Amino acid sequence: MATTPAPTAAKTDAPPPRSVLRDPAFLRLWAGTTASGLATWALPFVLGLAVLHRDLGAAGLGLVLAARTAGFLAAVAVGGVLADRHSRRAVVLWSALAAAAAAPLLAAGLGRSLVLMTAAAALAGAGQGACRPAFQALTAETVEPARRQQANAAMTMAVRSSTLAGPALTALLAAFLDTGTLLLGIGLLWLVAALVPGRGADTAGPAAEPTPRAGFRAEFLEGIREARRHPWFLAGLGALVAVIALGYSATSVALPLISRDRYGTEWVLAAAMTAYTLGALGGALVIARRRPRSQGWAAFAGLAAYGFAPLSLMLPVHPVVVVAAYAVAGIGIELFNVPWFTATQREVAPDKLARVSSLDFLVSYGLAPVGLALIAPAVDAFGVTAVLAVCAAACFLVPAAAALVPTARHFGRTAPATAD
């Protein structure tokens, strides 16, 4: 009896997507992002060394760091508009070059001119702020959709590794180099961030007749309108505000006090912050490979896990519990961040992606100083336990409420296709 030949279609299934870590274009972008992260996290540490060496006073340090933050916030919105208006690669190049140029100015002003250092710090912050949304949009141009979650996980691992390696490497080099030389080294890292990344894919489509461009304000408002089209994005921003401006700010103020007063040692402070960073690295590794069926709900659950950090500081627990709570918080924050960035790259119109990303950075970074400024007076007025209780409740409840918003379940109107 004749038999029907076995179908051969199954043999021609497309192979699984190649690992993003084998893509030279992405590796160049990753290297640039890593260099910018190392430079960003090393600068406050180097300036702290300048205080120890009496080249900069404590008040001067506060002024310089505030100028850097102000420069960042002023430039991040402008950088988002520029990255949607022009080449994302060009915005990364010029913004990173601006941050690189600030380094020798900081070195020249060290111990001589606080005015020059303040202006240079504002320039460094502006370069950092302008390149953030451009890097985010350039990732979407460089990596195809099926590999973006893995790419975003690799990017966030670079950032988290920088928080450990930046100060540690700087401390090692400080044994051999003076503060001015270390500042010049930070400038070299920004040069790497400027020159190493390659161009993204051309997403502009066929050449069209040139049309008059709207002004900066109009284009920024257009980005806001695009963000409002995505209820899950607005809900996520609200949850981020609660966790960063309340939870993160409260623990930043309370952890050093509790480490000193309750446990009588700085070890708890150092161990908790290290556990947070290591937990974030672990969370990024997990989410690089896993695709939750309801990724929005899973991401909001991860964000809510930050509530365990202020909760652990409220209670008279063993210090190991505090360290474990910070590790859980670190895991959870990346279980939110990676799907959040990936969904933004997937759902937002490509020509408005940098502007919408700039809103994310503007809200996240912009409200953190406000929270820090309000938490300390609140602790004095109501006590640290009451403030931590309110902030822990906000960390748990606001992401839970955000998860109920339409389209929040999948961070989009429909569930994304999985490609494991």
Side-chain angles (χ1 to χ4, degrees):
M1 179 183 294
T3 58
T4 303
T8 59
K11 297 181 181 180
T12 61
D13 287 345
R18 186 179 62 166
S19 170
V20 73
L21 299 179
R22 299 174 60 188
D23 184 344
F26 173 75
L27 288 177
R28 292 178 64 184
L29 181 62
W30 181 88
T33 303
T34 302
S36 70
L38 285 170
T40 297
W41 288 101
L43 181 57
F45 191 85
V46 173
L47 293 175
L49 292 176
V51 173
L52 293 178
H53 297 160
R54 301 186 185 280
D55 293 322
L56 184 66
L61 174 62
L63 181 62
V64 170
L65 292 179
R68 186 179 76 145
T69 300
F72 178 94
L73 294 176
V76 69
V78 176
V81 173
L82 290 176
D84 281 339
R85 178 182 282 193
H86 304 291
S87 162
R88 277 86 186 255
R89 177 65 187 91
V91 173
V92 167
L93 172 66
W94 291 108
S95 57
L97 285 177
L105 296 177
L106 283 166
L110 190 64
R112 301 180 184 90
S113 172
L114 182 59
V115 173
L116 178 59
M117 291 195 70
T118 302
L123 178 62
Q128 178 192 349
C131 76
R132 284 302 103 198
F135 266 128
Q136 186 75 2
L138 195 57
T139 301
E141 288 186 5
T142 303
V143 181
E144 64 268 22
R147 299 191 295 168
R148 283 180 190 162
Q149 184 153 319
Q150 186 184 54
N152 287 316
M155 287 293 196
T156 197
M157 288 178 65
V159 172
R160 297 299 178 184
S161 298
S162 298
T163 65
L164 290 176
L169 181 61
T170 303
L172 177 63
L173 293 175
F176 307 97
L177 304 173
D178 60 30
T179 306
T181 304
L182 291 174
L183 288 171
L184 294 178
I186 290 174
L188 290 178
L189 286 173
W190 277 114
L191 283 178
V192 172
L195 301 176
V196 169
R199 294 181 59 85
D202 183 9
T203 59
E209 291 295 325
T211 57
R213 300 299 303 249
F216 267 77
R217 179 176 179 274
E219 292 202 3
F220 183 73
L221 292 177
E222 190 177 68
I224 294 177
R225 286 193 293 272
E226 171 65 20
R228 292 173 60 187
R229 290 182 54 245
H230 307 280
W232 62 267
F233 184 83
L234 297 181
L237 279 184
L240 278 172
V241 168
V243 171
I244 292 175
L246 294 177
Y248 186 81
S249 296
T251 54
S252 296
V253 172
L255 179 60
L257 298 176
I258 290 173
S259 180
R260 181 195 65 191
D261 298 340
R262 181 187 300 168
Y263 300 108
T265 175
E266 296 178 353
W267 175 86
V268 177
L269 170 62
M273 296 309 299
T274 302
Y276 178 80
T277 301
L278 293 176
L281 287 170
L285 282 173
V286 170
I287 202 63
R289 295 185 172 274
R290 295 189 62 83
R291 305 291 192 275
R293 190 175 300 275
S294 300
Q295 66 172 7
W297 285 357
F300 280 124
L303 186 61
Y306 193 88
F308 290 111
L311 185 63
S312 71
L313 298 178
M314 287 173 53
L315 307 173
V317 296
H318 193 278
V320 171
V321 176
V322 175
V323 175
Y326 268 81
V328 170
I331 293 170
I333 205 72
E334 293 308 333
L335 295 183
F336 173 84
N337 278 340
V338 174
W340 170 259
F341 292 143
T342 305
T344 303
Q345 294 162 351
R346 182 185 68 243
E347 299 290 327
V348 171
D351 62 331
K352 301 178 181 67
L353 175 57
R355 278 169 283 178
V356 173
S357 296
S358 73
L359 287 175
D360 181 5
F361 293 117
L362 189 62
V363 171
S364 301
Y365 286 88
L367 291 178
V370 176
L372 287 169
L374 295 177
I375 288 296
V379 169
D380 291 337
F382 305 106
V384 66
T385 301
V387 170
L388 288 171
V390 171
C391 293
C395 290
F396 288 128
L397 296 178
V398 176
L404 301 178
V405 170
T407 72
R409 178 175 181 176
H410 300 294
F411 278 166
R413 298 189 181 278
T414 58
T418 59
D420 292 329

PDB file of all heavy atoms in Angstrom, residues 3 16 84 95 145 209 213 228 249 280 331 362 387:
ATOM      1  N   THR A   3       2.003   4.940   0.731  1.00  0.00           N
ATOM      2  CA  THR A   3       1.818   5.825   1.884  1.00  0.00           C
ATOM      3  C   THR A   3       2.014   7.276   1.444  1.00  0.00           C
ATOM      4  O   THR A   3       2.776   7.566   0.521  1.00  0.00           O
ATOM      5  CB  THR A   3       2.832   5.500   2.989  1.00  0.00           C
ATOM      6  OG1 THR A   3       4.142   5.624   2.460  1.00  0.00           O
ATOM      7  CG2 THR A   3       2.617   4.082   3.515  1.00  0.00           C
ATOM      8  N   PRO A  16      15.188  30.036  15.375  1.00  0.00           N
ATOM      9  CA  PRO A  16      14.945  31.041  16.415  1.00  0.00           C
ATOM     10  C   PRO A  16      15.832  32.263  16.182  1.00  0.00           C
ATOM     11  O   PRO A  16      16.910  32.165  15.600  1.00  0.00           O
ATOM     12  CB  PRO A  16      15.320  30.313  17.709  1.00  0.00           C
ATOM     13  CG  PRO A  16      16.224  29.210  17.287  1.00  0.00           C
ATOM     14  CD  PRO A  16      15.762  28.797  15.934  1.00  0.00           C
ATOM     15  N   ASP A  84      13.737  62.939  17.463  1.00  0.00           N
ATOM     16  CA  ASP A  84      12.656  62.630  16.526  1.00  0.00           C
ATOM     17  C   ASP A  84      12.726  63.491  15.273  1.00  0.00           C
ATOM     18  O   ASP A  84      12.210  63.121  14.226  1.00  0.00           O
ATOM     19  CB  ASP A  84      11.291  62.838  17.206  1.00  0.00           C
ATOM     20  CG  ASP A  84      10.908  61.687  18.117  1.00  0.00           C
ATOM     21  OD1 ASP A  84      11.462  60.586  17.936  1.00  0.00           O
ATOM     22  OD2 ASP A  84      10.062  61.881  19.001  1.00  0.00           O
ATOM     23  N   SER A  95      25.492  65.105  21.839  1.00  0.00           N
ATOM     24  CA  SER A  95      25.225  65.230  23.272  1.00  0.00           C
ATOM     25  C   SER A  95      26.346  64.598  24.089  1.00  0.00           C
ATOM     26  O   SER A  95      26.781  65.153  25.114  1.00  0.00           O
ATOM     27  CB  SER A  95      23.879  64.601  23.623  1.00  0.00           C
ATOM     28  OG  SER A  95      23.828  63.238  23.237  1.00  0.00           O
ATOM     29  N   PRO A 145      12.007  43.854  16.392  1.00  0.00           N
ATOM     30  CA  PRO A 145      11.080  43.696  17.526  1.00  0.00           C
ATOM     31  C   PRO A 145      11.236  42.399  18.303  1.00  0.00           C
ATOM     32  O   PRO A 145      11.118  42.400  19.532  1.00  0.00           O
ATOM     33  CB  PRO A 145       9.697  43.792  16.861  1.00  0.00           C
ATOM     34  CG  PRO A 145       9.921  44.662  15.661  1.00  0.00           C
ATOM     35  CD  PRO A 145      11.296  44.308  15.169  1.00  0.00           C
ATOM     36  N   GLU A 209       8.686  65.094   0.054  1.00  0.00           N
ATOM     37  CA  GLU A 209       8.906  66.525  -0.131  1.00  0.00           C
ATOM     38  C   GLU A 209       9.123  67.182   1.234  1.00  0.00           C
ATOM     39  O   GLU A 209       8.401  66.893   2.186  1.00  0.00           O
ATOM     40  CB  GLU A 209       7.690  67.150  -0.814  1.00  0.00           C
ATOM     41  CG  GLU A 209       7.517  66.732  -2.271  1.00  0.00           C
ATOM     42  CD  GLU A 209       8.663  67.243  -3.133  1.00  0.00           C
ATOM     43  OE1 GLU A 209       9.170  68.355  -2.873  1.00  0.00           O
ATOM     44  OE2 GLU A 209       9.072  66.512  -4.048  1.00  0.00           O
ATOM     45  N   ARG A 213       8.747  72.475   9.490  1.00  0.00           N
ATOM     46  CA  ARG A 213       8.689  71.822  10.785  1.00  0.00           C
ATOM     47  C   ARG A 213       8.008  72.735  11.790  1.00  0.00           C
ATOM     48  O   ARG A 213       8.155  73.952  11.750  1.00  0.00           O
ATOM     49  CB  ARG A 213      10.103  71.485  11.282  1.00  0.00           C
ATOM     50  CG  ARG A 213      10.899  70.565  10.387  1.00  0.00           C
ATOM     51  CD  ARG A 213      10.220  69.220  10.215  1.00  0.00           C
ATOM     52  NE  ARG A 213       9.981  68.546  11.452  1.00  0.00           N
ATOM     53  CZ  ARG A 213      10.606  67.434  11.836  1.00  0.00           C
ATOM     54  NH1 ARG A 213      11.523  66.911  11.062  1.00  0.00           N
ATOM     55  NH2 ARG A 213      10.298  66.854  12.981  1.00  0.00           N
ATOM     56  N   ARG A 228      -0.591  60.254  25.508  1.00  0.00           N
ATOM     57  CA  ARG A 228      -1.969  60.152  26.009  1.00  0.00           C
ATOM     58  C   ARG A 228      -2.797  59.139  25.238  1.00  0.00           C
ATOM     59  O   ARG A 228      -3.835  58.699  25.724  1.00  0.00           O
ATOM     60  CB  ARG A 228      -2.632  61.538  25.944  1.00  0.00           C
ATOM     61  CG  ARG A 228      -2.044  62.540  26.928  1.00  0.00           C
ATOM     62  CD  ARG A 228      -2.610  63.925  26.716  1.00  0.00           C
ATOM     63  NE  ARG A 228      -4.064  63.936  26.887  1.00  0.00           N
ATOM     64  CZ  ARG A 228      -4.826  64.994  26.632  1.00  0.00           C
ATOM     65  NH1 ARG A 228      -4.273  66.116  26.181  1.00  0.00           N
ATOM     66  NH2 ARG A 228      -6.123  64.928  26.824  1.00  0.00           N
ATOM     67  N   SER A 249      12.581  57.835  47.445  1.00  0.00           N
ATOM     68  CA  SER A 249      13.055  58.985  48.213  1.00  0.00           C
ATOM     69  C   SER A 249      13.042  58.691  49.708  1.00  0.00           C
ATOM     70  O   SER A 249      13.974  59.050  50.433  1.00  0.00           O
ATOM     71  CB  SER A 249      12.180  60.204  47.910  1.00  0.00           C
ATOM     72  OG  SER A 249      12.296  60.580  46.554  1.00  0.00           O
ATOM     73  N   ALA A 280      18.702  43.713  40.844  1.00  0.00           N
ATOM     74  CA  ALA A 280      18.312  44.269  39.548  1.00  0.00           C
ATOM     75  C   ALA A 280      19.001  43.528  38.406  1.00  0.00           C
ATOM     76  O   ALA A 280      18.387  43.261  37.364  1.00  0.00           O
ATOM     77  CB  ALA A 280      18.650  45.750  39.505  1.00  0.00           C
ATOM     78  N   ILE A 331      15.099  43.133  42.055  1.00  0.00           N
ATOM     79  CA  ILE A 331      14.563  42.197  41.060  1.00  0.00           C
ATOM     80  C   ILE A 331      13.295  42.774  40.441  1.00  0.00           C
ATOM     81  O   ILE A 331      13.113  42.804  39.219  1.00  0.00           O
ATOM     82  CB  ILE A 331      14.274  40.832  41.708  1.00  0.00           C
ATOM     83  CG1 ILE A 331      15.578  40.162  42.132  1.00  0.00           C
ATOM     84  CG2 ILE A 331      13.498  39.928  40.753  1.00  0.00           C
ATOM     85  CD1 ILE A 331      15.377  38.921  42.990  1.00  0.00           C
ATOM     86  N   LEU A 362      11.945  62.449  32.034  1.00  0.00           N
ATOM     87  CA  LEU A 362      11.675  63.734  32.682  1.00  0.00           C
ATOM     88  C   LEU A 362      10.885  63.542  33.964  1.00  0.00           C
ATOM     89  O   LEU A 362      11.194  64.142  34.997  1.00  0.00           O
ATOM     90  CB  LEU A 362      10.908  64.636  31.712  1.00  0.00           C
ATOM     91  CG  LEU A 362      10.715  66.095  32.120  1.00  0.00           C
ATOM     92  CD1 LEU A 362      12.064  66.789  32.255  1.00  0.00           C
ATOM     93  CD2 LEU A 362       9.844  66.813  31.094  1.00  0.00           C
ATOM     94  N   VAL A 387       6.147  57.901  58.051  1.00  0.00           N
ATOM     95  CA  VAL A 387       6.455  58.224  56.658  1.00  0.00           C
ATOM     96  C   VAL A 387       6.722  56.954  55.858  1.00  0.00           C
ATOM     97  O   VAL A 387       6.239  56.798  54.721  1.00  0.00           O
ATOM     98  CB  VAL A 387       7.667  59.181  56.598  1.00  0.00           C
ATOM     99  CG1 VAL A 387       8.154  59.345  55.161  1.00  0.00           C
ATOM    100  CG2 VAL A 387       7.297  60.533  57.186  1.00  0.00           C
TER     101      VAL A 387
END
